[in-house]
């Protein structure tokens, strides 16, 4: 608040009747603003201090002063200071009070205008005199223990309120948007997980068994022409029997999008089944991924299958079938048929895949095409079951095995 040019305190600064500024009110310097005090009860006008905010002038709250009596001199009155130093005539240092409970009574009317009193030297010693009562309605203020206690209590109250507000804001932020929970990272940090990272969640997908995968069809175009590049399915499987051993490798054309490991597993299980060419221990089949095998079972697109079968003089394009390309090392399994099946087997896709493997490997072992001879019989595995089951008025039943159990 700016001072008057002659150093007189600005309007609203309380002064004693002899002109001395009230104790604790800063002196004005010539031509400059008044220094702002740091007392906890000094607040800007319009704050939360109720009726006391405007009693001593705008922006400053101090206890009201009695007019000077006999023996009054320069500086604050002795009785005013004594009222805060001990208990004579007012609140003592040892009294227990509730600083938040306002006193009853009315404040004394102000006598004289603080700005009308002559300026006095603030360094003059205060005169002796009878003790005076503190202004009614204000808590007693003292230098020392209880004054600091009031400040500490007020600060604690403000801190408590702020803590409640912050806690409410945190709770609201955690449940913002209709009670949505906090993020996984926040929960992980709250749980003390290093780095604040939540454990990776399970994908929620059920792992299918071999039988379940073999019972499913997979989408693949009947006219697909692949890259023509093959890759070996990694891994191997020992021959389980003691008969004549055949070694084979499993290749799959790149870019098909089919499960090469499932295909390799199906070949090994099918060929070594007792109903297959390993019947009665006559043969056994071993899967390898390196070296020179007896043959290579290859899963390829219809276009690539046709190309490799043509090398052995076979046309697979008319019925989109598979073949044993005898002039090469490859037994070609048409990926479209492997993925989608045939009308002759309907939804029995697992059995159809077993028939594909047994039929084409049967050609590699030297067996040619045959058909069933009686109506209602099982079709021989070397019958072209992808193309037909019925012939010459005879109805054959689908069969994937060279040695089916009756």
């Amino acid at each position: 608040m700016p001072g008057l040019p002659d150093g007189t305190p600005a309007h609203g600064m309380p002064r004693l009747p002899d002109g001395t500024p009230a104790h604790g009110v800063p002196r004005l310097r010539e031509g400059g603003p008044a220094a702002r005090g740091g007392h906890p009860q000094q607040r800007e006008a319009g704050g939360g201090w109720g009726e006391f905010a405007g009693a001593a002038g705008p922006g400053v709250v101090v206890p009201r002063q009695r007019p000077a009596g006999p023996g009054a001199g320069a500086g604050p009155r002795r009785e005013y200071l004594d009222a805060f130093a001990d208990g004579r005539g007012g609140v003592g240092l040892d009294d227990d009070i509730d600083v938040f409970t306002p006193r009853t009574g009315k404040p004394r009317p102000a006598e004289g205008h603080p700005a009308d009193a002559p300026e006095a030297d603030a360094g003059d010693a205060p005169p002796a005199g009878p003790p005076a009562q503190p202004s009614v309605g204000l808590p007693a203020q003292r230098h020392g223990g209880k004054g600091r206690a009031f400040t500490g209590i007020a600060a604690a109250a403000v801190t408590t309120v702020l803590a409640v507000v912050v806690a409410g804001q945190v709770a609201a932020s955690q449940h913002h948007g209709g009670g949505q929970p906090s993020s996984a990272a926040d929960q992980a940090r709250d749980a003390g997980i290093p780095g604040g990272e939540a454990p990776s969640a399970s994908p929620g997908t059920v792992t299918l068994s071999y039988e379940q995968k073999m019972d499913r069809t997979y989408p693949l175009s009947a006219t697909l022409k692949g890259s023509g590049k093959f890759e070996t399915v990694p891994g191997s499987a020992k021959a389980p029997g003691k008969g004549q051993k055949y070694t084979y490798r499993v290749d799959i054309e790149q870019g098909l999008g089919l499960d090469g490991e499932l295909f390799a597993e199906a070949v090994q299980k099918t060929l070594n089944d007792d109903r297959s060419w390993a019947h009665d221990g006559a043969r056994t089949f071993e899967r390898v991924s390196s070296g020179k095998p007896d043959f290579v079972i290859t899963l390829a697109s219809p276009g690539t299958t046709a190309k490799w079968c043509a090398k052995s003089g076979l046309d697979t394009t008319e019925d989109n079938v598979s073949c044993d390309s005898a002039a090469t090392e490859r037994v070609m399994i048409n990926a479209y048929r492997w993925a989608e099946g045939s009308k002759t087997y309907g939804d029995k896709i697992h059995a159809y895949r077993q028939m594909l493997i047994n039929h084409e490997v049967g050609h590699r072992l030297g067996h040619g095409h045959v058909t069933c001879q009686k109506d209602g019989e099982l079709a021989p595995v070397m019958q072209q079951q992808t193309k037909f089951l019925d012939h010459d008025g005879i109805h054959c039943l689908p069969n994937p095995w060279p040695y089916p159990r009756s």
Side-chain angles (χ1 to χ4, degrees), residues 36 71 119 148 154 160 233 250 253 297 330 334 356 391:
R36 186 180 300 273
E119 184 176 353
R148 290 192 297 269
T160 302
V233 178
V250 175
E253 187 175 8
I297 299 183
R330 298 190 183 275
N334 190 320
L356 274 180
H391 68 94

Side-chain angles (χ1 to χ4, degrees), residues 315 318-319 321 337 342 344 369 384-389:
D315 182 7
E318 183 177 351
D319 296 298
V321 294
R337 291 299 183 184
S342 68
T344 53
H369 288 148
Q384 294 177 291
Q385 296 181 54
T386 296
K387 295 181 177 181
F388 62 90
L389 286 175

Side-chain angles (χ1 to χ4, degrees), residues 208-221 256-259 262 334-343 345-353 356:
L208 299 178
S209 66
Y210 167 77
E211 287 75 14
Q212 289 173 324
K213 291 178 182 179
M214 290 290 284
D215 282 337
R216 292 190 173 192
T217 59
Y218 304 96
L220 195 139
S221 172
L256 287 180
L258 296 176
D259 189 343
L262 174 65
N334 190 320
Y336 167 72
R337 291 299 183 184
W338 173 266
E340 297 282 355
S342 68
K343 291 181 179 180
Y345 271 71
D347 60 355
K348 297 178 181 179
I349 187 66
H350 190 163
Y352 177 76
R353 289 167 178 159
L356 274 180

